[in-house]
Amino acid sequence: MLSLTLGTMITITSNHWVTAWAGLEINTLAVIPLISKSHHPRAIEAATKYFLTQATASALMLFSSMTNAWSSGQWDITQLTNPPSCLLLTAAIAIKLGLTPFHFWFPEVLQGSSLTTALLLSTAMKFPPTTILLLTSHSLNPTLLSTMAIMSIALGGWMGLNQTQTRKILAFSSISHLGWMTIIITYNPKLTLLTFYLYSLMTTSIFLSMNSTNTLKLSTLMTSWTKAPMLNTTLMLTLLSLAGLPPLTGFLPKWLIIQELTKQEMTTTATTISMLSLLGLFFYLRLTYCSTITLPPNSSNKMKQWSIKKPVNTLTPTL
Amino acid sequence: MALAATLLHNAYFCGRCCRHKALQPLLGPLLSDSLSKSYSSYRRPGSQPEKKTTWQNVDLSFKKSIEVLKTQLGMLKKETEDHLAGPEGQSLTHYMLEQTRVVWEFRSQEDLNKWVISSDVEIGGKSEVYLKLGRNNQTALLYGTLNTEVPRDGETKYSGYCSMRAKPLVGSFARKKYYDWSNFNSLYLRVRGDGRPWMVNIYTDPYFSHQKDDLYNYFMFTRGGPYWEEIKIPFSKFFLSSRGRVQDDQHPIWLDKISTVGFTIGDKVNGPFQLEIDFIGLLNDRAHTEEFAYETYEKNPPL
């Protein structure tokens, strides 16, 4: 855990490529034992997948910084001038974050890890690559980023449609939100940060709520109303917030992003992404409908669920 | 492994084509006239000799490829529609409310084709196993003779097993598909055996090949009467084994990515066996509260 904080701090405060890379590597290595702590074959599979993808991404990043240093003679992160380096860096960060078309590892890795580790993976581990993206956003290719972002939103919505495992659902929601974050990064990086913070807050509350009732699959989610009805209600609100419904917090970043995109004369993009996030909305609505609005007829018989681990931050979702 | 073998084959053939007389004395040990392979050429007595190499089986006709493409695209379209409908192709309310599901039943030859039978003939043993449809096409009959005579190849110590295993699901463009049984907690088998004990194996196809021998097993004891038995095996009872050895580090089976289910008989008794199966299904037993049947102790407890 300390190594994670250390790694993140190193990357965020770096202005030399090598320190940024070192911070990312420390993060990767620190989180691998966390993923594979339970010694289950799926957890080990998830850890292997995570390690392979992140190592490739780090190697690509180092390569791009080296080609940039070769052509421009300096290692400053904000001075990324060589176009092939920019492309390579975009690809590397996309792999690290889990943007389409490099998202394939993400649902499986989240599925193989425990709920708290999954929380770490989707919020804390996304922070350093986003910072690097922010620092270099003025020199990256906007078309590429927009394409990847639109595909991420599309794919996050489409693949999340009939998942029955909660961690995979949250993985796809993460991919979708990353798309929203990436689409605005070249025009107004502050909005990316805002989206990221709000997304982390909402995801944290969802993961922690799920952790206290140990809901790993949909049927468990649906029978959790007998154990902690208040938690279930606030979980519903948080899910809708993730989906981006207007009076809830989750709508704010989407609204501002759409506004910024229209200011940049990218109305078609804005319309496309709003339409695509409808897919996700459909899914979240269906989840909340089935789990909270219609009370399922039966109760769970798993002993683990009846012990509440801690009464969780049920008020943060309604921020 | 197969890829490496193919590459070596290709390299060997290329080497044969462009061999020069001057180079031959130098490369003599590398290239040879006999069909040398990278793997051992000892063939176990039960396996068939290779008559045709794999590259001779390729069919390059255009019309057939168009038909194959059409079937695959049709399957892809169906998969997309199923994806839109909900989990496993049915609506979410159906998924929420279902408590039983029949996964395999045996009513026609196509249903039989979804299963593969094997026995110790592949290592050189003498057991026989056959699978056919039972009376009135209502059941499947797995029958044969178990023979524990050990094949004389100097390295096998035990023999005598027969098994039946479901073929894994294949999606469009030959992608692997998995069963999602997370809604259920028991396996429900309607069988009529002859008193012999069987082992039920569940294979969750892993991504990496390190875990490809992992199998979750449990036993099924049949009664042998003329009456049908409904055997319920909760998934919490399955234990993990790898290549037949029970592992120390046990954990309950994860039901969200199941590939195949199989039945094996290997009870060291020479003689005939029969198993008639009506259907194999799943049950969400609300009265079953056990998470995992085996206690797991910490291997290195903190002092």
Side-chain angles (χ1 to χ4, degrees):
Chain A
M1 288 295 287
L2 282 174
S3 331
L4 275 180
T5 337
L6 176 71
T8 317
M9 286 301 134
I10 291 180
T11 315
I12 297 173
T13 56
S14 64
N15 48 14
H16 192 286
W17 275 114
V18 173
T19 45
W21 172 78
L24 285 170
E25 287 291 283
I26 293 175
N27 266 348
T28 313
L29 290 174
V31 104
I32 297 278
L34 280 176
I35 300 178
S36 58
K37 202 161 63 157
S38 68
H39 295 292
H40 191 278
R42 294 284 290 279
I44 299 184
E45 181 188 307
T48 323
K49 280 185 191 165
Y50 187 73
F51 173 68
L52 287 173
T53 50
Q54 300 285 312
T56 325
S58 298
L60 270 180
M61 205 177 84
L62 203 57
F63 185 57
S64 83
S65 60
M66 281 203 296
T67 43
N68 186 42
W70 184 262
S71 67
S72 62
Q74 44 76 33
W75 291 82
D76 197 9
I77 291 187
T78 49
Q79 309 278 338
L80 195 67
T81 45
N82 194 14
S85 309
C86 295
L87 270 177
L88 273 176
L89 182 75
T90 323
I93 302 286
I95 299 177
K96 278 232 178 258
L97 286 175
L99 280 175
T100 318
F102 308 111
H103 67 283
F104 296 100
W105 58 275
F106 198 47
E108 297 289 323
V109 169
L110 274 198
Q111 177 67 10
S113 41
S114 62
L115 278 167
T116 31
T117 322
L119 165 65
L120 267 179
L121 278 175
S122 35
T123 49
M125 302 301 291
K126 304 258 175 269
F127 196 43
T130 330
T131 355
I132 297 183
L133 212 54
L134 281 169
L135 287 170
T136 57
S137 59
H138 51 267
S139 44
L140 297 174
N141 188 2
T143 326
L144 179 63
L145 281 172
S146 311
T147 327
M148 285 203 293
I150 296 177
M151 283 203 295
S152 300
I153 300 173
L155 211 107
W158 175 255
M159 297 293 291
L161 274 182
N162 63 355
Q163 295 297 331
T164 55
Q165 306 291 321
T166 45
R167 288 168 288 185
K168 277 198 185 171
I169 294 172
L170 288 168
F172 290 115
S173 102
S174 174
I175 295 176
S176 187
H177 280 267
L178 275 173
W180 278 93
M181 284 182 228
T182 333
I183 204 157
I184 204 65
I185 203 163
T186 41
Y187 306 111
N188 191 353
K190 293 203 180 106
L191 280 181
T192 310
L193 266 183
L194 174 74
T195 321
F196 182 74
Y197 292 142
L198 287 175
Y199 165 71
S200 316
L201 205 58
M202 295 187 292
T203 322
T204 317
S205 53
I206 287 200
F207 266 112
L208 290 175
S209 327
M210 285 192 186
N211 197 23
S212 59
T213 48
N214 204 29
T215 52
L216 296 173
K217 47 189 213 275
L218 220 55
S219 43
T220 337
L221 180 66
M222 290 172 187
T223 54
S224 60
W225 60 274
T226 48
K227 288 154 206 76
M230 192 59 207
L231 195 61
N232 208 18
T233 334
T234 45
L235 189 61
M236 174 195 102
L237 283 176
T238 323
L239 272 177
L240 289 178
S241 178
L242 257 189
L245 278 186
L248 301 166
T249 332
F251 179 62
L252 178 67
K254 292 199 162 80
W255 174 26
L256 292 172
I257 291 177
I258 294 178
Q259 199 177 24
E260 188 64 37
L261 282 177
T262 42
K263 273 192 229 163
Q264 301 282 340
E265 305 285 320
M266 290 176 68
T267 27
T268 41
T269 322
T271 329
T272 326
I273 53 179
S274 329
M275 290 295 134
L276 288 173
S277 59
L278 274 178
L279 276 173
L281 173 66
F282 164 67
F283 177 70
Y284 290 123
L285 266 180
R286 197 171 62 171
L287 257 188
T288 50
Y289 168 72
C290 289
S291 68
T292 318
I293 303 180
T294 61
L295 297 178
N298 40 39
S299 172
S300 165
N301 49 1
K302 290 276 181 290
M303 289 312 288
K304 252 194 223 178
Q305 279 214 295
W306 287 93
S307 61
I308 305 279
K309 287 185 198 166
K310 54 176 177 169
V312 132
N313 45 353
T314 54
L315 289 178
T316 43
T318 51
L319 255 183
Chain B
M1 170 63 190
L3 186 61
T6 338
L7 281 173
L8 280 167
H9 260 292
N10 293 341
Y12 168 68
F13 285 126
C14 287
R16 268 193 100 145
C17 297
C18 41
R19 201 164 48 176
H20 292 285
K21 289 214 175 107
L23 278 175
Q24 197 172 355
L26 290 172
L27 298 174
L30 290 177
L31 310 168
S32 56
D33 272 325
S34 61
L35 194 63
S36 65
K37 297 181 226 167
S38 60
Y39 42 89
S40 154
S41 52
Y42 168 65
R43 187 177 50 81
R44 282 189 176 275
S47 51
Q48 308 300 318
E50 285 176 23
K51 296 193 186 79
K52 257 192 184 185
T53 44
T54 40
W55 47 266
Q56 281 171 333
N57 282 336
V58 171
D59 184 14
L60 292 172
S61 72
F62 190 62
K63 273 189 194 163
K64 195 166 173 227
S65 48
I66 295 281
E67 273 174 35
V68 166
L69 189 63
K70 272 193 208 161
T71 14
Q72 298 297 324
L73 285 175
M75 279 168 78
L76 186 63
K77 181 173 157 211
K78 182 162 188 308
E79 269 173 32
T80 323
E81 287 165 359
D82 280 346
H83 185 92
L84 278 171
E88 311 254 315
Q90 290 139 344
S91 65
L92 193 63
T93 42
H94 183 247
Y95 171 79
M96 262 175 59
L97 294 171
E98 80 179 331
Q99 294 196 3
T100 56
R101 187 197 290 182
V102 172
V103 190
W104 288 284
E105 55 178 10
F106 300 94
R107 303 284 184 262
S108 65
Q109 186 59 37
E110 296 178 358
D111 294 327
L112 279 191
N113 289 341
K114 289 187 195 155
W115 291 79
V116 175
I117 48 173
S118 64
S119 67
D120 61 358
V121 167
E122 60 207 15
I123 56 166
K126 295 195 176 113
S127 320
E128 299 164 347
V129 65
Y130 309 97
L131 182 67
K132 70 173 192 201
L133 277 175
R135 280 196 200 159
N136 287 332
N137 286 0
Q138 289 295 311
T139 59
L141 185 63
L142 179 72
Y143 65 100
T145 319
L146 206 68
N147 190 338
T148 53
E149 191 184 322
V150 177
R152 296 163 67 107
D153 56 2
E155 52 181 22
T156 322
K157 279 191 262 196
Y158 311 102
S159 179
Y161 64 87
C162 298
S163 78
M164 173 168 111
R165 191 176 170 183
K167 287 186 190 163
L169 278 180
V170 175
S172 57
F173 297 102
R175 286 177 297 168
K176 281 188 213 173
K177 274 205 307 192
Y178 304 98
Y179 293 103
D180 178 15
W181 293 347
S182 47
N183 220 4
F184 304 98
N185 64 5
S186 330
L187 197 62
Y188 189 97
L189 306 152
R190 184 158 198 262
V191 296
R192 189 157 61 169
D194 56 351
R196 295 184 82 152
W198 288 78
M199 187 179 246
V200 183
N201 318 318
I202 301 185
Y203 182 55
T204 58
D205 195 357
Y207 189 82
F208 295 108
S209 61
H210 306 96
Q211 297 153 358
K212 73 174 177 346
D213 300 314
D214 276 1
L215 205 59
Y216 294 89
N217 314 335
Y218 198 63
F219 309 101
M220 179 173 82
F221 297 100
T222 52
R223 275 220 184 113
Y227 301 111
W228 282 95
E229 270 187 287
E230 272 136 27
I231 302 181
K232 293 193 268 276
I233 309 180
F235 287 118
S236 61
K237 299 255 189 240
F238 280 84
F239 56 87
L240 175 69
S241 71
S242 175
R243 280 199 92 105
R245 293 170 210 277
V246 181
Q247 300 297 300
D248 285 331
D249 196 6
Q250 291 286 339
H251 50 261
I253 181 173
W254 279 25
L255 297 158
D256 61 336
K257 211 172 143 196
I258 298 216
S259 185
T260 67
V261 158
F263 298 95
T264 311
I265 183 162
D267 53 350
K268 305 187 211 167
V269 173
N270 277 323
F273 64 87
Q274 275 193 353
L275 182 73
E276 204 175 345
I277 313 177
D278 184 6
F279 66 84
I280 297 170
L282 299 165
L283 174 70
N284 188 2
D285 192 358
R286 293 282 165 197
H288 183 78
T289 51
E290 189 183 52
E291 300 270 334
F292 189 48
Y294 313 104
E295 284 182 331
T296 46
Y297 296 100
E298 263 190 50
K299 282 195 283 266
N300 299 312
L303 292 166

